[in-house]
Amino acid sequence: IAKYMALSIFGNITIQQRNRVHEMRRAMLDAVSDGILLVHPGSKGGHVISSNAIFEQLFDLYEASLSGKTLASVLAEMTLPEDVRQSLTQQWINMPVRSSDIREGEFRIVHSSGQPLEILWKSTPVYQEGNVRGRVYAFHDATADRAAARMRAEFLSRISHELRTPLTSIQGFAEFILEVGGDDLPATVREYTQIILSSAKHLKAIISNIIDITRLDAGQI
């Protein structure tokens, strides 16, 4: 009886410790701003260990229904367009969980709330003592970032157009004055006109650089 009671107590302590570890892991994952899915080796792309609240919100899933499931079955439950689901299935399921590869990509979905989302994903291995023990799948909602980048690009494009038009006129008139006036222009007038011309060209170059940087930031270059 004493041995049985000791084993029972030890079992309860082990369960409590496991639950505390699970709760701590869950709390740490929920503190991350991206959606997280933890997978350990197994069939069909591995088995899910845990996920966080952001992942569940993005794809309308709940951890209780995910833990222990295969990655393939989770993919089947995620709210995804069929072409996106097939693409992710090919990339994830065919990659061994113990692979050291780092993969990433992006896709678009429409959330259950009706909002279109642009999702960036990245899959990285988890190492322990030099060996791959599992994989982490991270999902970042880039919708706001992409929208802000597009708005910046459009705004600067409009501003640059409004600035380029008068600058082109200023440059053209300055060149016209220097060409027509020739040697008859007073020295002071020629000097000031050349300063106007040089400043107009300088401003146009700055505007062109700003436009290129903005387009680069928006992914248009």
Side-chain angles (χ1 to χ4, degrees), residues 39-48 69-72 97:
V39 179
H40 68 80
S43 60
K44 297 183 179 180
H47 291 80
V48 174
K69 286 191 173 183
T70 64
L71 183 59
V97 177

Side-chain angles (χ1 to χ4, degrees), residues 5-204:
M5 292 179 64
L7 288 173
S8 178
I9 293 172
F10 178 76
N12 289 333
I13 293 174
T14 301
I15 292 174
Q16 291 175 4
Q17 290 177 341
R18 185 182 62 186
N19 291 338
R20 281 198 294 269
V21 169
H22 177 77
E23 291 172 358
M24 183 179 297
R25 181 176 62 202
R26 171 73 179 190
M28 292 176 64
L29 290 179
D30 285 343
V32 180
S33 59
D34 292 339
I36 300 295
L37 192 66
L38 301 180
V39 179
H40 68 80
S43 60
K44 297 183 179 180
H47 291 80
V48 174
I49 303 174
S50 185
S51 61
N52 68 350
I54 301 297
F55 177 81
E56 296 161 8
Q57 293 169 8
L58 284 175
F59 304 106
D60 299 318
L61 299 171
Y62 300 93
E63 187 191 19
S65 64
L66 300 183
S67 182
K69 286 191 173 183
T70 64
L71 183 59
S73 62
V74 172
L75 263 171
E77 296 179 16
M78 292 168 63
T79 306
L80 297 169
E82 194 56 36
D83 58 335
V84 172
R85 193 189 319 279
Q86 292 178 4
S87 175
L88 294 180
T89 300
Q90 293 176 357
Q91 296 182 71
W92 294 358
I93 306 305
N94 294 333
M95 178 178 59
V97 177
R98 297 188 186 277
S99 171
S100 59
D101 291 348
I102 298 177
R103 297 189 181 181
E104 55 188 333
E106 60 182 273
F107 55 84
R108 295 183 179 184
I109 63 173
V110 176
H111 193 258
S112 58
S113 62
Q115 179 185 4
L117 302 178
E118 298 184 39
I119 306 296
L120 305 179
W121 66 268
K122 188 171 186 178
S123 174
T124 58
V126 177
Y127 288 92
Q128 183 180 13
E129 298 179 353
N131 298 317
V132 178
R133 299 297 184 182
R135 298 194 72 80
V136 175
Y137 290 84
F139 303 84
H140 176 67
D141 181 3
T143 308
D145 298 337
R146 296 284 180 87
R150 286 192 291 267
M151 290 179 64
R152 287 197 302 270
E154 292 173 1
F155 173 75
L156 286 176
S157 177
R158 288 195 296 267
I159 291 297
S160 64
H161 176 73
E162 296 298 328
L163 290 175
R164 273 178 167 176
T165 300
L167 283 175
T168 300
S169 299
I170 293 171
Q171 178 182 340
F173 285 127
E175 291 173 343
F176 175 77
I177 292 172
L178 291 173
E179 181 180 351
V180 173
D183 296 334
D184 296 333
L185 283 176
T188 304
V189 174
R190 176 174 293 278
E191 179 185 357
Y192 290 169
T193 305
Q194 287 176 340
I195 291 174
I196 293 172
L197 177 60
S198 176
S199 297
K201 290 181 177 179
H202 180 62
L203 285 174
K204 286 182 69 176

